[in-house]
Structures are given as C-alpha cells and as structure tokens.
Amino acid sequence: MTLPRLRVGLLATHPIQYYVPWYRLLAQQVDLTVYYCQQLTPYEQAVGFGGAFAWDVPLFDGYQHRFLVNQAREPNVSTFFGCETPEIGPLIAEGKFDAFIVHGWAIKSFWQAIFACWRTPTPVLVRGDSHLLATRGQGRQALKYPLYRWFIPRFDGYLVVGERSRQYLRHYGVRPERMFFVPHTVENERFAVHANTIHATRPEMRRAWDLPADAVVYLYAGKCIAEKCPNDFSRAVATAARVQPRVWGLVVGDGPLRAQMQATAEQQGWPLRFVGFLNQTEMPRAYGVSDALVLPSTSETWGLVVNEAMASGLPAFVSDRVGCAPDLILPEQTGHLFPCGNVDS
C-alpha cells in the first residue's frame, strides 16, 4: 500500500540561489509548493553587489513554485513592510497543507501566512538563522524579549540550521523536542568536482588574475559593505605580507567600499587583487586559486561562503561573530576563529 505524499507549502521572500537545492530535494519527498513574495529584477538583485545581474544557476527546476502579488507600498525584500501578500491566507485555507514552512518572521508576508496557519489550523514550521550575537541595543532587547518569548514557542516545529540558532530558540523558550536539524548547505558535489578540475590549471588561472604561482592566497568573497569588514581583511593581508612576502589577498565581490579599498591597496602597495563580482558558476575559480577563505564579518547569521570554500577543499579563518563558527570551524582542522575586528589576530 502506497501512502499519499505529504502536501507542504513554503513561503520565501524571493528566489535565493542557496535555498533552491534544498527545495529541489524536499520536493522529491513531499508534494511541495514554494510561494515567492517577489521576483527581483537584475537591478533589484544588485543591491549591495555593485551592478545589475541575474543568478546563472537554475532557480526553478525540480519543484513547483508560484509568485504572489506583492501589494506593499514600496516593494522590497529587506524591510518588514516590503512584502505584503494577502492572497497567501486564502491559499493556505484552501490548500489543506499537512505543514507550512516560513523563513522566519521578519516580514509582513510571513505573518500573513503564520496567522492563516493558526486560523485553519495548519501546522506551521519556521526556519531561520538568527542568533544571540546580533548587535542590538539594551533597550530594544528588553522590549523584544517578552514579545519573542510569547510568540516564538507557539510554532509547531523549528528547522534548526546550526548550534547558534538552536541556542537562540532555547533562549526564547522553545522545547528541544520541537527542533529538527535542517542545516544550511550548498551543492557540495558541484564545488568538489570543480575544485578537482581547476587544480590542474591553477597556475594559469593565477596568472589570469596576476597572482604569483607560489603565493599563499587568502580569499575574501562577499559584498564590500561595512558589516562584512572587508577593510579588516585588506589590513590583515598587508600586515601578514610584511612578515611573509608570499602572502597575497584576493577580493571577490563588489559594493560601496570596493573603490576605496582598491585605491588604498594600490597607494600602499599591498599585495591584493580585486576581481569584482563573480556569479555562481564562476565562484569555483576563486576557490580554486586560493589557499584559504577569510570571513571577518561583524554581523553574519551564517556565512554560506564557508560551506562553499570547505566543499572546495579550503580551510576558513572566521570571525567569532559568524553564525556558522561552532558548526564548521574545528580549530587547526577546518580553520581558525579570531575575535571580530582584531586585525592582528
């Protein structure tokens, strides 16, 4: 006797390249429909990246999806009121879902779905990567605690991405038996295969980016914005190179800080190369020419570039404020931790 497949709905702000493999795999196990609040244009996608682009990997293969009508006054995927999709309520009421998943509670559309689940009732599961190290004022924290302590334990289940997200949920009263480990992942096999292929052409690829063949190359991969602390990376590379001249830095990414970073590096003669934004299919080249990843962020809920780097065979030097640190960084095995902002360290 074949049991009927579970019917599961999921609400996301917009297509995110890192989440699609999970949706695709989940759709093999259940009858899944992913609802998106907004489809970003190449220009909307470019916020923080430095230029318009579209992701160059398939975003919709292997699972059912539907775009909702975003009725927000100023549609965006970054603010609470940027996504307003009232049609999700009737869809949940009529869909007879066995479970419905939301990616947190930080936008209005998620609450429209949550309230619809509570009314029906439909079991609602939440997946997010918030952690307790996020910078907040004491006054805001004092106001936030009783509110979060009231609503967070009301969900039916919690898809936990890592240790710091588990600590966050326990802090707000979630019972351990309602937590299910659903870690942040990337397409490990794709990155591993590319890493093996690229290794044979590494000297040529380094020449293309004007990196010495015998250099020890540290990689920064991310937006050039203040909270990711790219200037700490530049200064650390410059400091290390004074002790060991083989040290070089490779900056992959764009954003408002890039021009000044590059100008400073050129003026000071720092051993840094800037190659700008690389799309998903191009990123294995950056990992292939590098020896280690550095992620110095002051506010990083996870840090999926660490997953990509490790799938490509690289260790990672990670700030102690990066969410993935307890799960992925085993000191002297998979990388090292350093105090955020401590360039000398």
Side-chain angles (χ1 to χ4, degrees):
M1 176 180 173
T2 302
L3 295 175
R5 283 160 61 94
L6 293 175
R7 180 165 168 74
V8 177
L10 186 150
L11 181 63
T13 52
H14 63 293
I16 297 173
Q17 78 279 14
Y18 288 125
Y19 292 171
V20 169
W22 176 52
Y23 299 162
R24 195 177 292 132
L25 185 62
L26 185 59
Q28 295 175 17
Q29 311 298 321
V30 301
D31 181 6
L32 175 71
T33 302
V34 176
Y35 298 94
Y36 289 117
C37 299
Q38 187 167 343
Q39 184 166 21
L40 300 183
T41 67
Y43 293 96
E44 291 168 334
Q45 187 81 56
V47 174
F49 285 98
F53 74 96
W55 294 115
D56 63 356
V57 291
L59 295 179
F60 305 112
D61 292 356
Y63 68 98
Q64 298 179 71
H65 73 281
R66 172 174 171 174
F67 281 95
L68 305 174
V69 177
N70 189 356
Q71 298 182 9
R73 182 174 299 177
E74 297 180 8
N76 67 82
V77 296
S78 303
T79 65
F80 181 84
F81 293 104
C83 291
E84 182 175 350
T85 53
E87 64 184 300
I88 194 62
L91 287 170
I92 290 172
E94 298 162 9
K96 301 188 185 305
F97 294 104
D98 294 290
F100 199 91
I101 301 168
V102 292
H103 280 290
W105 47 79
I107 67 167
K108 185 175 182 180
S109 289
F110 290 158
W111 279 105
Q112 290 172 317
I114 291 166
F115 285 135
C117 289
W118 285 346
R119 285 194 302 267
T120 7
T122 300
V124 57
L125 312 176
V126 63
R127 185 175 192 251
D129 49 18
S130 297
H131 57 70
L132 296 172
L133 295 180
T135 304
R136 297 287 187 273
Q138 290 186 350
R140 184 175 176 183
Q141 285 281 53
L143 291 172
K144 176 179 168 180
Y145 182 80
L147 174 63
Y148 277 38
R149 188 65 178 75
W150 171 75
F151 78 78
I152 289 180
R154 295 190 62 189
F155 298 116
D156 296 282
Y158 307 82
L159 309 184
V160 178
V161 301
E163 180 56 32
R164 283 184 173 163
S165 117
R166 187 182 304 276
Q167 293 170 358
Y168 181 91
L169 293 170
R170 289 293 300 273
H171 178 72
Y172 288 111
V174 174
R175 299 202 305 270
E177 63 269 21
R178 289 192 180 185
M179 299 185 198
F180 304 93
F181 187 43
V182 184
H184 272 319
T185 61
V186 296
E187 293 178 284
N188 290 338
E189 185 176 355
R190 177 168 73 87
F191 283 98
V193 167
H194 279 295
N196 290 332
T197 303
I198 289 168
H199 187 75
T201 60
R202 192 185 208 201
E204 291 81 1
M205 295 180 65
R206 282 192 167 188
R207 279 198 295 271
W209 282 339
D210 198 22
L211 291 165
D214 66 344
V216 179
V217 178
Y218 293 91
L219 170 66
Y220 172 89
K223 298 176 184 177
C224 295
I225 55 178
E227 53 264 37
K228 290 187 179 289
C229 306
N231 285 308
D232 287 0
F233 172 78
S234 296
R235 291 164 54 209
V237 167
T239 301
R242 287 195 286 270
V243 178
Q244 171 51 268
R246 289 177 57 206
V247 169
W248 282 71
L250 176 65
V251 177
V252 172
D254 213 331
L257 298 182
R258 179 192 166 183
Q260 184 57 52
M261 288 173 61
Q262 191 162 356
T264 300
E266 291 172 357
Q267 291 166 6
Q268 300 294 328
W270 292 348
L272 288 159
R273 293 290 179 258
F274 295 79
V275 298
F277 169 76
L278 297 181
N279 216 316
Q280 281 290 285
T281 60
E282 300 174 296
M283 278 303 299
R285 293 173 55 204
Y287 297 121
V289 304
S290 302
D291 296 294
L293 175 80
V294 180
L295 185 58
S297 301
T298 187
S299 177
E300 190 87 45
T301 54
W302 182 259
L304 278 156
V305 290
V306 178
N307 295 68
E308 291 181 347
M310 290 184 174
S312 303
L314 302 186
F317 290 77
V318 171
S319 150
D320 60 3
R321 299 189 70 84
V322 171
C324 70
D327 301 272
L328 298 184
I329 305 301
L330 304 177
E332 299 193 29
Q333 296 182 52
T334 63
H336 281 283
L337 292 178
F338 60 90
C340 184
N342 189 327
V343 172
D344 289 340
S345 177

